[in-house]
Amino acid sequence: MKMNPESFVAMKGSKTIPMLTAYTCPVARSIEEAQVPVILVGDTVGMVEMGFDSTRDVTIEHMEYHIGAVRRGAKSTHIIGDLPYGTDVNPETAYTNARRLIQAGADSVKLEGPNIQVIQYLVKHNIPVVGHTGLLPQTAKNFKQVGQSSEDAKRIINEAQAIQKAGAFMVVLEHIPYSLAGKITKILSIPTIGIGAGPDCDGQVLVINDALGLGDYWPPFSKQYAYVSKTVLKVATEFSEEVRSMKFPSNIIQFTGTDRS
Ligand code: KIV
């Protein structure tokens, strides 16, 4: 059964929440089969799937395309759609773009930073919102951990509280000290979802390509549960050798299965 914002809030303090990103239909289908309750179609798609150097190159059209694909694969899973850079500059613009993501298949939207008026406006207009504080890839100068000084830690705590007060039902804490994430998790009544923020959050999110070992760089705080890039290399090498040596297709084994179409 598809989870809604209230059911995620109800999990706070009792069950930890696993979340994965997804960008394509077959991956989303497997994530749903694994009963992961929430998929984030993140603007990380720009870096891990589209080859851009920054998430700032991602457009609302890219997000609509990927959210549509993920929805077709995961019909019963809560999908969060990321509002890409520049699409939430004021409440009205954010509302128009959030509606586009919802129409494409998202159940809620995520936006980076303490964009309080925008969060309030979206929630008032019935769009469930996930906040995001700590490291903010859309505007960060680099991907180093933030919140190390007591001043910066205080700022992040204040941002998390303001995001909750504005009406968000969940908040992502990215790449901050573990103790700070634990402190925020205790203060807030909505679930915190950590990425590079340690074990004391209410849930954890991983970028699916990092978890799959798909790509050529994975952040140190991520975990590789497989090395899919190596499998792709092996398959491509074997296939090309077999075509060159005329081993594939074989004229002995005739295909008798069902056609895809
Ligand atoms: O875009 C994304 O995938 C994200 C996660 C890193 C939390 O925001």
Side-chain angles (χ1 to χ4, degrees):
M1 205 182 65
K2 198 202 274 187
M3 303 247 326
N4 59 29
E6 294 72 35
S7 41
F8 286 116
V9 176
M11 285 173 81
K12 172 122 186 155
S14 57
K15 286 188 187 134
T16 46
I17 304 169
M19 182 194 293
L20 283 167
T21 72
Y23 317 105
T24 63
C25 178
V27 168
R29 194 177 290 131
S30 298
I31 293 175
E32 177 161 291
E33 206 181 326
Q35 296 182 6
V36 173
V38 51
I39 294 177
L40 168 64
V41 185
D43 61 0
T44 39
V45 67
M47 296 178 77
V48 302
E49 287 286 341
M50 301 171 78
F52 292 131
D53 290 333
S54 157
T55 57
R56 281 191 286 273
D57 293 302
V58 176
T59 65
I60 197 79
E61 288 80 14
H62 293 147
M63 294 307 300
E64 287 175 308
Y65 173 92
H66 287 282
I67 289 169
V70 168
R71 176 52 80 207
R72 286 186 285 280
K75 295 193 172 59
S76 311
T77 304
H78 187 101
I79 293 177
I80 305 169
D82 231 354
L83 278 167
Y85 181 65
T87 63
D88 57 359
V89 285
N90 59 54
E92 288 78 16
T93 306
Y95 179 71
T96 304
N97 287 312
R99 292 274 313 148
R100 286 178 68 166
L101 300 191
I102 301 283
Q103 266 155 19
D107 298 295
S108 58
V109 301
K110 177 171 84 59
L111 56 97
E112 290 187 11
N115 211 340
I116 302 309
Q117 284 182 346
V118 166
I119 298 174
Q120 282 171 339
Y121 190 87
L122 295 181
V123 172
K124 190 173 154 208
H125 291 85
N126 298 318
I127 302 210
V129 175
V130 175
H132 184 156
T133 184
L135 178 69
L136 303 175
Q138 288 178 4
T139 46
K141 289 195 182 80
N142 57 55
F143 289 163
K144 287 190 188 137
Q145 189 184 62
V146 295
Q148 287 176 0
S149 69
S150 57
E151 211 173 66
D152 210 24
K154 185 93 192 80
R155 173 187 63 78
I156 295 168
I157 293 172
N158 289 340
E159 281 186 16
Q161 285 180 305
I163 287 168
Q164 168 173 289
K165 195 163 171 228
F169 73 93
M170 187 183 264
V171 62
V172 170
L173 303 177
E174 182 164 353
H175 209 10
I176 59 174
Y178 294 6
S179 56
L180 176 57
K183 197 169 174 185
I184 295 171
T185 301
K186 275 210 185 103
I187 294 172
L188 297 192
S189 55
I190 57 171
T192 59
I193 306 293
I195 177 158
D200 296 328
C201 299
D202 297 304
Q204 298 290 329
V205 57
L206 273 187
V207 170
I208 189 68
N209 295 49
D210 298 346
L212 291 173
L214 178 59
D216 51 9
Y217 165 80
W218 308 297
F221 55 71
S222 67
K223 178 171 174 182
Q224 285 64 60
Y225 291 84
Y227 288 94
V228 170
S229 283
K230 282 194 182 146
T231 307
V232 175
L233 174 65
K234 186 169 173 292
V235 168
T237 305
E238 272 184 43
F239 167 74
S240 91
E241 277 167 6
E242 288 196 358
V243 171
R244 286 194 183 101
S245 63
M246 298 174 76
K247 203 169 156 194
F248 178 86
S250 156
N251 60 4
I252 301 166
I253 306 162
Q254 186 85 44
F255 175 71
T256 54
T258 315
D259 278 337
R260 197 194 304 246
S261 56

